[in-house]
Amino acid sequence: MALEHAYPIIVVEPQDLGNETVRWIQVGNFLHKSAVICSIGALISTPFLPRSVSKFTAIPLGVFALLCAGLYDLSWQFDPCCKYQVDYHGTELPTIPTHELHCPSPVVLVQRNDKYRKILHNSFALAVVAFFGWQGYLRFKA
């Protein structure tokens, strides 16, 4: 309910629910970062490595990047949880009235703008598709 109302700070108090929420956000972060890093690796490894080696690095990296970006876009993009990050350092905890908390270690979620995050990994995924499409076109044309 609080996620759908898009509150700037959300405190998740039941320990089990908080841990589950943290894991869900971590999986989304992993998919996003994997998509970006593998896309960069696929795009960079092709021009800098010999062709005999690059096909064994660029293709798996590119496929994994596309899978991660696609899974993130299908599963996490419309989830209200993807708009939040966990406040691990406790910077937002002083702004919360602690006398109302019932849990000794609550999970604090902070709303973040994920517009640029989505643009970043989708741009890299499209660059990988375009690059591999171009490389495939050049190989089959010759």
Side-chain angles (χ1 to χ4, degrees):
M1 184 78 145
L3 292 170
E4 293 166 358
H5 287 300
Y7 292 116
I9 298 172
I10 297 175
V11 179
V12 183
E13 282 215 73
Q15 191 77 29
D16 294 337
L17 181 61
N19 291 338
E20 214 170 297
T21 306
V22 168
R23 273 183 292 218
W24 184 254
I25 291 173
Q26 286 174 338
V27 169
N29 289 344
F30 170 77
L31 289 173
H32 163 70
K33 290 175 184 176
S34 296
V36 171
I37 291 170
C38 289
S39 295
I40 292 170
L43 293 172
I44 288 177
S45 68
T46 304
F48 293 114
L49 294 175
R51 182 179 282 186
S52 61
V53 176
S54 70
K55 65 182 174 186
F56 294 114
T57 58
I59 292 173
L61 285 173
V63 168
F64 188 68
L66 294 176
L67 286 173
C68 288
L71 188 59
Y72 184 92
D73 288 342
L74 292 175
S75 299
W76 273 265
Q77 183 174 2
F78 303 110
D79 187 349
C81 247
C82 79
K83 305 232 184 282
Y84 288 87
Q85 291 297 316
V86 180
D87 182 26
Y88 290 109
H89 304 294
T91 54
E92 298 295 331
L93 206 51
T95 63
I96 300 167
T98 55
H99 64 278
E100 295 181 17
L101 297 177
H102 303 291
C103 181
S105 58
V107 173
V108 179
L109 303 178
V110 181
Q111 187 179 30
R112 299 276 189 246
N113 185 359
D114 66 335
K115 173 184 169 186
Y116 299 109
R117 160 187 265 207
K118 290 177 186 175
I119 290 172
L120 179 70
H121 80 251
N122 286 327
S123 298
F124 276 116
L126 287 174
V128 167
V129 168
F131 183 74
F132 283 164
W134 178 250
Q135 290 294 315
Y137 170 75
L138 290 178
R139 287 202 178 130
F140 286 118
K141 185 181 104 170

